[in-house]
């Protein structure tokens, strides 16, 4: 059940079990796997989570689904071409499983004592902040087990993040971030590092 896609990546919606988890060079057809929203949606600050959006967010724009391409450079030496394909010209596929560990300087450079804010690679707006309510080691262990940075409800900055009805997680700029793949603990946002490797505007001058 593997198919090659035009982004050079695999799908978040593939099975995440140890026996079927895709390797960095494999490709999984997302339509072969289910992706139901969590039945345990929680509420924070009056918002039912995840905060939902509609398909218009990802409408065609001047650069795929976004008004402009990702910024240059990206944090952690993330590859710009990969970011442009995954974020702006893709709705289903992902960077390779394990990309954030094997192909970037994220693990070397990320703050392991304090939470890190992850910014939209297109706008530089904050989208996630982690770890919150757990240790870095717990955040890393879960992310490595699934193949992509895996955020929980309390780690999402909902001002600019939305989930579509099929679980696709996007920014309001039309950036494809990944998918919500709930598990027994609740919502789990499986996110491409390239999508959130932006630099805040004040630092990107």
């Amino acid at each position: 059940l593997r198919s090659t896609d035009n982004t050079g990546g695999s799908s978040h919606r593939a099975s995440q079990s140890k026996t079927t988890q895709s390797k960095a060079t494999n490709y999984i057809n997302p339509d072969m796997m289910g992706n139901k929203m969590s039945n345990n949606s929680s509420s924070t600050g009056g918002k039912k989570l995840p905060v939902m959006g509609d398909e218009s967010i990802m409408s065609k724009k001047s650069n795929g689904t976004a008004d402009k391409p990702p910024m240059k450079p990206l944090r952690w030496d993330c590859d710009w071409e990969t970011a442009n394909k995954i974020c702006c010209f893709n709705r289903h596929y992902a960077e390779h499983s394990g990309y954030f560990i094997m192909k970037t300087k994220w693990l070397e450079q990320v703050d392991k004592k304090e939470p890190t804010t992850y910014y939209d690679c297109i706008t530089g707006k904050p989208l996630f902040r982690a770890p919150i309510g757990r240790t870095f080691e717990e955040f890393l262990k879960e992310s490595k087990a699934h193949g992509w940075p895996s955020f929980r409800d309390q780690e999402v900055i909902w001002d600019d993040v939305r989930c579509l009805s099929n679980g696709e997680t996007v920014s309001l700029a039309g950036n494809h971030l990944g998918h919500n793949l709930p598990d027994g603990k609740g919502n789990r946002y499986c996110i491409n590092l390239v999508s959130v490797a932006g630099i805040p505007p004040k630092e990107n001058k």
Side-chain angles (χ1 to χ4, degrees):
L1 301 181
R2 292 171 182 163
S3 62
T4 301
D5 70 283
N6 61 3
T7 67
S10 51
S11 169
H12 287 135
R13 297 173 66 178
S15 171
Q16 299 293 317
S17 71
K18 292 183 179 179
T19 57
T20 59
Q21 184 175 346
S22 67
K23 296 181 180 180
T25 56
N26 288 343
Y27 306 89
I28 309 297
N29 186 336
D31 296 323
M32 298 298 182
M33 308 305 296
N35 186 34
K36 296 181 179 179
M37 303 297 283
S38 171
N39 291 324
N40 300 317
S41 295
S42 57
S43 297
T44 302
K47 294 181 179 179
K48 185 178 180 180
L49 303 180
V51 178
M52 304 300 292
D54 59 51
E55 188 64 26
S56 65
I57 297 172
M58 301 300 282
S59 61
K60 186 176 181 180
K61 304 179 184 72
S62 58
N63 189 68
T65 56
D67 287 328
K68 58 183 180 181
M71 63 181 67
K72 293 181 179 180
L74 295 171
R75 293 169 90 186
W76 307 301
D77 276 1
C78 286
D79 181 69
W80 185 89
E81 293 289 347
T82 300
N84 193 40
K85 290 177 182 178
I86 293 294
C87 303
C88 304
F89 296 92
N90 160 66
R91 300 295 303 279
H92 302 290
Y93 290 93
E95 65 197 17
H96 292 306
S97 174
Y99 173 90
F100 75 111
I101 294 292
M102 297 183 291
K103 298 293 185 179
T104 77
K105 293 183 178 179
W106 176 82
L107 188 57
E108 173 188 337
Q109 297 177 351
V110 69
D111 193 327
K112 299 173 181 64
K113 295 183 179 180
E114 299 294 333
T116 294
T117 301
Y118 296 80
Y119 299 90
D120 194 317
C121 70
I122 296 171
T123 65
K125 292 183 178 181
L127 302 180
F128 300 90
R129 184 169 173 79
I132 300 293
R134 53 179 170 169
T135 66
F136 176 81
E137 288 72 22
E138 290 169 332
F139 170 60
L140 177 61
K141 181 179 180 181
E142 180 172 63
S143 297
K144 289 175 70 174
H146 296 297
W148 293 268
S150 295
F151 300 92
R152 296 292 176 171
D153 284 337
Q154 70 273 13
E155 296 168 330
V156 185
I157 301 173
W158 291 105
D159 292 347
D160 280 275
V161 176
R162 297 291 184 270
C163 275
L164 306 188
S165 60
N166 67 346
E168 183 182 6
T169 305
V170 303
S171 80
L172 292 181
N175 180 357
H176 171 84
L177 304 177
H179 285 86
N180 178 22
L181 301 174
D183 60 13
K185 298 178 181 178
N187 294 312
R188 177 174 59 83
Y189 307 94
C190 201
I191 303 300
N192 297 292
L193 185 65
V194 295
S195 302
V196 294
I199 298 173
K202 65 180 181 179
E203 299 179 21
N204 191 35
K205 293 182 179 179

